[in-house]
Amino acid sequence: MRLNNKGFAITGILYFVLIMFLMIISSLLLVLKTRINRLTDLNTTINEEVELKEKIVDEPIDSYITSFRGKYIFEITDSTGVKTCYSYLPNNALIVLQEGAIKYKIPTLDSNGNYVLDRNDLSGVSNLSLYDGYNSCNNNNITAAKIISIASSVNS
C-alpha cells in the first residue's frame, strides 16, 4: 500500500495553521485579561486613597472657603431646575454666589508651596473671576447653590 504524500503535506499545513490560530487567540485573551486585572487594581488603589472628607447637606453657600483640595459636589438651582455638578478646587479657595453666578478667588502660593488665601483682602470680592469649571452645568442664572459633599485624597 502506498501513502499519498500530497494529503499528508496539506494536512500538516492545516494543523499548523490551526495551532497557530489557537495560540494567537489565547495570547490575545491573556493580554486582555492582564489589562482588565491592571485596571481593576488601579481602580481599587484609587478608591482606597480617596475618601469622603465631609458630607455637607442643605448648607447654602453665599461665600465658602474650601477646607480641602479635591472634588466638590454642588447642587445648583437655576432657571431650568436643580442640577448636580462638581468641581475640582484647591485648598483655601473662596467660592461666592454673586450676581446669579458662582465666582471664585484662587489662593496664592506661599514660600513653602502651600495655598494661602489672604483673608484680609476679601474686600475685593466684587471683582472675582467667573468660574467655568463645573461639569455640564451652566454658570448663569443660579438662584441657589449647596455643597453636597467633598472628596479628597487622604494626604491633602
Side-chain angles (χ1 to χ4, degrees):
M1 217 170 160
R2 195 160 193 229
L3 291 175
N4 186 352
N5 288 337
K6 274 188 182 178
F8 182 72
I10 291 173
T11 304
I13 291 172
L14 287 176
Y15 276 115
F16 175 75
V17 169
L18 177 67
I19 290 171
M20 289 303 293
F21 176 74
L22 290 175
M23 289 177 68
I24 290 171
I25 292 295
S26 63
S27 65
L28 284 174
L29 290 174
L30 181 67
V31 166
L32 291 175
K33 183 177 185 223
T34 303
R35 181 172 184 252
I36 195 71
N37 286 341
R38 279 186 184 168
L39 289 175
T40 303
D41 291 343
L42 181 63
N43 194 11
T44 303
T45 304
I46 289 172
N47 285 335
E48 288 171 356
E49 289 182 5
V50 173
E51 66 179 14
L52 190 65
K53 288 287 189 182
E54 289 184 22
K55 185 149 180 117
I56 303 170
V57 180
D58 294 333
E59 186 177 317
I61 58 167
D62 291 326
S63 66
Y64 183 81
I65 296 177
T66 60
S67 52
F68 299 102
R69 175 181 57 96
K71 180 179 180 180
Y72 285 76
I73 302 171
F74 294 88
E75 184 178 272
I76 294 177
T77 306
D78 61 5
S79 58
T80 60
V82 178
K83 299 176 186 173
T84 302
C85 308
Y86 63 86
S87 177
Y88 295 95
L89 296 168
N91 190 14
N92 290 326
L94 173 67
I95 305 169
V96 176
L97 180 60
Q98 189 178 68
E99 300 168 355
I102 293 182
K103 297 185 177 183
Y104 73 102
K105 181 175 185 177
I106 296 293
T108 57
L109 287 172
D110 65 3
S111 60
N112 296 330
N114 297 321
Y115 285 110
V116 177
L117 182 66
D118 186 6
R119 296 174 194 271
N120 297 326
D121 188 25
L122 296 182
S123 60
V125 292
S126 61
N127 50 349
L128 295 174
S129 302
L130 187 67
Y131 192 72
D132 60 354
Y134 294 96
N135 174 37
S136 70
C137 287
N138 214 353
N139 196 11
N140 51 17
N141 300 325
I142 296 174
T143 56
K146 293 186 252 183
I147 297 176
I148 298 173
S149 64
I150 303 166
S152 180
S153 69
V154 176
N155 298 325
S156 61

